[in-house]
Amino acid sequence: MSIKVIGTGAYVPEKIVTNDDLKKLIDTSDEWIRQRVGIEERRISTEETAAEFAVKASMQALEDSGISAGELDLIIAASISSETVCPTVAGFVQKEIGASCPAFDVNSACSGFLFALDTAVSYIARGEYKNILVIGSERLSKIVDWSDRSTCVIFGDGAGACIVSKGDGYLASNLYTKGDDGVISIPAYGGSSPFYTGVHKAPYIFMDGQETFKFAVNKIVSDIKLITEKAGLTLDDIAYIVPHQANVRIIDFASKRLGIPKDKFFVNIQKYGNTSSASVPIALDELARSGKLKSGDILALTAFGGGLSSAVCLLKW
Ligand code: UT7
């Protein structure tokens, strides 16, 4: 048994921070950020939390699906930047939307939403769960070191969500993890135990940009080839690729190496930057609402990042 997506939603906070705004904080330029990353502006929260974004994206997905919160059997949220470890983002959403089903969070950094979606597919395959809400939500501005120009210019805040139900639309997937803190690491709050003698690292994103870049390009290319083969399809069968929005140059390289035209890659990084686990579901929602998708279109959703991790799936729309 497989799934189909029956509704999507997204939410980004109102405040727009442009590249020129960032020049007031750090030594950077609009030209460098546009050319090296492809970002023009990002949304940054002034008051709301990742869990609150998640509620708004979820309500939109529910409305789009036509089902009520009471019909949800499970909520799974991916987040690395919630204000609270407990309640979970999924648990907070459950309360706010008036659902009563189980709810839990997963964490696989930028690949988190696709790990959560794959988990939802497994629950649906068990036959006990009919409708599952899957969310990616991040307030990355909380875990960015705003004095580090190599990271603070690339991240943004937002949330995306989708509701999946029984169907035949999940054609193939692949999850990958290589436990490693040398390339990307995000230390959590160190605590105040008087007995702990280990090092307390600052709770901000550390990233070796160039190593991450190489990993990302290689992974998008190999992941998409792998699942296309798994599904018995060819690259030409893919109508759209919805990639993690980390750097437009990563997408350009992937397009060239796969021989898939750039216009098949959905790109919105210029507006939102890299929103980690929220990036794929925000892009999926925008693509779905653009009216470009036809029933039966094959979509490849692909993400990569901290872990190190990557995840990919083929969806039939
Ligand atoms: O979501 C998780 C996955 N993340 C990713 O996929 C990110 C992958 N990596 C990247 O997108 C890129 O590596 C970055 C955007 C992070 C950095 O771009 P880069 O082209 O790899 O730059 P770099 O780190 O090689 O730095 C080149 C130069 C350096 O100056 P020097 O040493 O050549 O004088 C940096 O200090 O650019 C400088 N630089 C900046 N200059 C202006 C670094 N950040 C900035 C900045 N503004 N914000």
Side-chain angles (χ1 to χ4, degrees):
M1 194 183 302
S2 173
I3 56 119
K4 65 177 177 227
V5 174
I6 62 165
T8 64
Y11 175 78
V12 290
E14 260 178 39
K15 185 170 177 61
I16 294 173
V17 175
T18 64
N19 294 339
D20 282 335
D21 292 333
L22 292 176
K23 278 164 57 181
K24 295 168 201 151
L25 300 174
I26 45 159
D27 178 16
T28 190
S29 67
D30 178 53
E31 191 193 8
W32 190 94
I33 301 170
R34 279 178 197 254
Q35 284 181 359
R36 303 305 296 169
V37 205
I39 301 172
E40 294 166 19
E41 58 189 41
R42 71 284 294 140
R43 300 300 182 98
I44 299 292
S45 176
T46 53
E47 288 181 337
E48 294 164 303
T49 66
E52 287 167 334
F53 306 157
V55 171
K56 291 187 173 156
S58 300
M59 284 168 64
Q60 208 183 64
L62 274 176
E63 194 185 338
D64 190 39
S65 71
I67 69 163
S68 67
E71 290 174 272
L72 289 172
D73 300 305
L74 183 63
I75 302 171
I76 310 175
S79 184
I80 54 171
S81 53
S82 175
E83 243 61 30
T84 55
V85 175
C86 167
T88 59
V89 171
F92 184 83
V93 170
Q94 184 237 40
K95 171 177 156 252
E96 293 295 317
I97 65 174
S100 54
C101 58
F104 62 87
D105 286 4
V106 301
N107 170 2
S108 188
C110 300
S111 313
F113 173 79
L114 292 182
F115 273 69
L117 182 64
D118 207 66
T119 308
V121 174
S122 305
Y123 274 96
I124 289 197
R126 277 165 47 171
E128 286 169 59
Y129 296 83
K130 191 163 169 269
N131 300 312
I132 302 183
L133 168 60
V134 186
I135 306 162
S137 187
E138 304 290 0
R139 185 167 82 86
L140 295 177
S141 55
K142 168 176 168 272
I143 56 169
V144 155
D145 175 353
W146 284 94
S147 65
D148 174 6
R149 69 175 182 170
S150 71
T151 52
C152 75
V153 303
I154 63 183
F155 294 106
D157 298 340
C162 74
I163 293 169
V164 297
S165 194
K166 288 179 190 173
D168 63 351
Y170 200 70
L171 305 183
S173 69
N174 194 62
L175 306 180
Y176 170 88
T177 305
K178 177 177 179 278
D180 182 340
D181 66 357
V183 181
I184 302 179
S185 87
I186 311 171
Y189 165 63
S192 59
S193 165
F195 304 104
Y196 184 71
T197 55
V199 179
H200 289 293
K201 294 185 183 158
Y204 300 128
I205 299 173
F206 160 82
M207 183 174 71
D208 180 334
Q210 291 189 1
E211 282 307 311
T212 309
F213 194 101
K214 283 184 231 160
F215 170 74
V217 174
N218 289 334
K219 263 305 183 187
I220 291 197
V221 171
S222 61
D223 274 355
I224 287 180
K225 284 183 179 167
L226 177 76
I227 49 155
T228 310
E229 269 172 38
K230 256 192 190 180
L233 298 171
T234 69
L235 296 178
D236 288 340
D237 294 319
I238 300 175
Y240 289 101
I241 296 179
V242 183
H244 174 40
Q245 310 285 314
N247 188 322
V248 80
R249 289 188 296 126
I250 292 175
I251 296 171
D252 290 341
F253 272 112
S255 161
K256 283 196 193 103
R257 296 225 332 230
L258 285 163
I260 297 178
K262 178 84 182 292
D263 60 9
K264 284 196 172 186
F265 286 77
F266 187 83
V267 178
N268 64 5
I269 189 175
Q270 69 282 3
K271 293 190 288 183
Y272 307 127
N274 176 345
T275 56
S276 189
S277 74
S279 122
V280 168
I282 291 174
L284 180 64
D285 178 64
E286 279 198 15
L287 178 59
R289 283 169 199 273
S290 71
K292 289 182 188 158
L293 292 181
K294 297 188 300 293
S295 176
D297 273 351
I298 307 287
L299 312 183
L301 276 46
T302 168
F304 48 81
L308 293 170
S309 66
S310 79
V312 64
C313 71
L314 273 188
L315 283 184
K316 188 166 75 177
W317 200 247

